């Protein structure tokens, strides 16, 4: 990635797992580890539905045009695709199954389900790259990522995945309303809904309720990149 693009998209190089993202992942790891002790696959959820709250307001528009929005989404899909690819390469099926011992059918299916998620993220990358080129733009260069032990330890892998999926869902929700070209909205919403399915699944694996509230809150580009940037290295 060039310095110009790094500055433009807010992706200055940062230490791995620093700041807020590190705190989110660190806190979630304990949940994943604790959930592995639930022999029936159940969880001790204390999160309550916030149904009384209304839909959230839109976040500020921090984009200049549609190409910038798509490249922003592509950056996040690069991150997710690389994260799942490395984690699945480093953590074998037996280790993942052991993490969910006693969870019933999910114990035998979890590795295959995670491969499906990985394949979805790779497909999202391909489609977004093609969309940018069709619009006459250049896909942003793939950043260099370092996920530390999050792609080596099963509990941390699941916890980090849950965090990344939640961030991705909020990113699409924050950016999609500012697309000018109507034909870009259906594919963007289609990816958003799949990312939400991923998020729900990973949250449940992490010992959390997959759908804690009646409404999700979007995040602005600066908020999302503050979190995602923690995985980008020099």
């Amino acid at each position: 990635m060039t310095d110009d693009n790094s500055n433009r998209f807010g992706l200055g190089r940062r230490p791995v797992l620093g700041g807020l993202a590190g705190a989110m992942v660190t806190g979630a790891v304990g949940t994943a580890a604790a959930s592995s002790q639930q022999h029936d696959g159940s969880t001790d959820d204390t999160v309550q539905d916030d149904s009384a709250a209304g839909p959230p307001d839109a976040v500020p528009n921090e984009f200049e045009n549609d190409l910038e929005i798509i490249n922003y989404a592509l950056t996040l899909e690069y991150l997710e695709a690389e994260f799942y690819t490395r984690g699945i390469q480093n953590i074998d099926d037996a280790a993942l199954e052991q993490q969910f011992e006693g969870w019933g059918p999910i114990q035998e299916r979890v590795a295959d389900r995670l491969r499906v998620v990985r394949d979805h993220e790779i497909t999202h990358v391909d489609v977004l790259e093609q969309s940018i080129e069709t619009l006459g733009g250049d896909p942003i260069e793939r950043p260099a990522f370092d996920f530390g032990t999050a792609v080596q330890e099963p509990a941390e892998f699941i916890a980090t995945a849950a965090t990344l999926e939640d961030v991705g869902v909020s990113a699409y929700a924050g950016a999609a309303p500012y697309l000018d070209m109507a034909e870009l909205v259906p594919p963007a919403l289609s990816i958003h809904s799949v990312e939400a399915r991923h998020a729900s699944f990973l949250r449940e694996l992490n010992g959390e309720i997959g759908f804690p509230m009646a409404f999700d809150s979007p995040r602005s580009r600066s908020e999302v990149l503050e979190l995602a940037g923690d995985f980008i290295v020099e």
Side-chain angles (χ1 to χ4, degrees), residues 6-69:
S6 295
N7 292 333
R8 183 181 180 190
F9 290 94
L11 293 173
R13 306 307 197 193
R14 302 177 185 180
V16 178
L17 289 182
L20 181 57
M24 292 173 67
V25 172
T26 301
V29 172
T31 307
S35 69
S36 68
Q37 303 302 315
Q38 297 285 343
H39 298 299
D40 61 355
S42 64
T43 61
D44 183 19
D45 294 312
T46 58
V47 178
Q48 296 183 357
D49 189 311
D50 192 16
S51 299
D57 295 329
V59 296
N61 183 4
E62 299 176 352
F63 303 97
E64 294 182 2
N65 52 51
D66 286 354
L67 278 173
E68 192 168 307
I69 292 176

Side-chain angles (χ1 to χ4, degrees), residues 113-129:
R113 294 292 191 269
L114 290 171
R115 280 189 279 268
V116 171
V117 174
R118 174 203 59 194
D119 293 346
H120 287 173
E121 307 299 2
I122 292 172
T123 299
H124 293 168
V125 166
D126 292 340
V127 168
L128 291 173
E129 287 178 335

Side-chain angles (χ1 to χ4, degrees), residues 153-200:
E153 301 294 336
E156 191 176 354
F157 177 61
I158 296 299
T160 306
T163 297
L164 291 179
E165 294 292 351
D166 275 349
V167 171
V169 171
S170 66
Y172 276 94
Y178 296 112
L179 287 167
D180 290 325
M181 299 178 64
E183 56 267 37
L184 294 177
V185 175
L189 293 182
S190 179
I191 293 176
H192 175 260
S193 62
V194 170
E195 295 291 351
R197 295 173 192 266
H198 294 171
S200 182

Side-chain angles (χ1 to χ4, degrees), residues 205-221:
L205 290 183
N206 196 43
E208 305 169 80
I209 185 170
F211 37 90
M213 295 178 292
F215 302 99
D216 277 338
S217 295
R219 284 188 174 98
S220 67
R221 181 177 70 168

Side-chain angles (χ1 to χ4, degrees), residues 129-149:
E129 287 178 335
Q130 293 169 12
S131 298
I132 292 167
E133 292 171 353
T134 298
L135 293 174
D138 295 318
I140 192 169
E141 185 179 343
R142 186 186 295 262
F145 298 110
D146 188 341
F147 301 101
T149 57

